[in-house]
Amino acid sequence: MKIELKKWSFEDKEFLIKMCNTIDRNYLSDRLPDPYTDESAEWWLNMVEENDEKNGVFREIVVDGKIAGAVSVEQKGDVYRKDSEIGYYLLQEVYSKGIMTEAVRQICEIAFEKLDILRITGMVYEPNIASKKVLERNNFLLEGVMKKAVIKNNNIYDLCIYGKVR
């Protein structure tokens, strides 16, 4: 299995829309529009084109030639400007194959090389064991837990804060 990170392009728009309307959103931020429309994809792809490798690294996860998910590291601002936040999702049919662990390894390498950052922060809802394992396998350390910090689908979750320092 070949796992690569590739830059997004406007040719990927239709697949991006389809993917974002089929992924499991239970542990994702509500920033991701639902439903994911043509306008959502246009906005995202334009934002990526403008910001990639300047204040973020945005990649599609390609497995054996097919897009299977997305991963990004976005630099924060103000006094947090040396920090960044990682985010990712994967199509359910390719869960539990080590794909995200490898994608996170690759994006961290790229982010530390391309961005003016000292750390990458990962924020995971407490019940999301798979995501916690992905970060831990990439040497992110659990730095703290914010109690009852997230509401998603009417569920209240603790938020696990992970960090990886350059």
Side-chain angles (χ1 to χ4, degrees):
M1 180 171 34
K2 185 177 181 192
I3 301 164
E4 307 170 273
L5 299 187
K6 292 189 175 172
K7 292 188 177 195
W8 286 99
S9 85
F10 283 90
E11 288 86 68
D12 302 318
K13 184 172 87 169
E14 292 309 314
F15 190 84
L16 175 64
I17 294 166
K18 183 176 170 229
M19 181 170 63
C20 287
N21 282 316
T22 58
I23 55 173
D24 177 0
R25 294 167 171 266
N26 285 323
Y27 299 127
L28 296 182
S29 158
D30 287 339
R31 276 178 41 190
L32 190 68
D34 188 13
Y36 200 85
T37 63
D38 193 73
E39 293 75 36
S40 307
E42 285 282 332
W43 179 88
W44 166 257
L45 292 167
N46 281 309
M47 184 280 300
V48 166
E49 186 175 64
E50 195 176 305
N51 294 289
D52 192 42
E53 297 184 6
K54 293 182 188 98
N55 49 20
V57 178
F58 309 88
R59 297 290 184 270
E60 54 191 36
I61 301 167
V62 179
V63 180
D64 295 333
K66 292 187 185 131
I67 302 172
V71 62
S72 64
V73 173
E74 294 184 66
Q75 193 165 354
K76 297 179 181 180
D78 192 31
V79 296
Y80 308 104
R81 65 188 170 272
K82 295 292 186 178
D83 189 7
S84 59
E85 187 176 336
I86 190 167
Y88 43 81
Y89 57 80
L90 205 55
L91 290 169
Q92 285 175 278
E93 59 260 30
V94 293
Y95 278 9
S96 303
K97 296 182 179 190
I99 294 165
M100 193 55 77
T101 297
E102 174 58 18
V104 167
R105 184 194 69 73
Q106 290 182 33
I107 198 90
C108 288
E109 220 171 76
I110 297 166
F112 280 132
E113 180 189 319
K114 302 284 186 189
L115 304 176
D116 183 20
I117 57 172
L118 297 174
R119 64 174 278 129
I120 299 172
T121 299
M123 295 193 264
V124 182
Y125 307 166
E126 197 282 323
N128 191 350
I129 293 161
S131 191
K132 291 193 280 190
K133 284 181 179 173
V134 163
L135 294 177
E136 289 163 3
R137 287 184 188 124
N138 278 285
N139 302 311
F140 279 75
L141 298 176
L142 179 62
E143 297 177 335
V145 177
M146 295 172 65
K147 297 293 181 190
K148 299 186 183 334
V150 175
I151 182 163
K152 179 71 182 191
N153 300 332
N154 294 318
N155 297 306
I156 306 286
Y157 296 127
D158 292 348
L159 184 65
C160 301
I161 310 296
Y162 283 85
K164 180 180 179 97
V165 178
R166 181 194 293 273

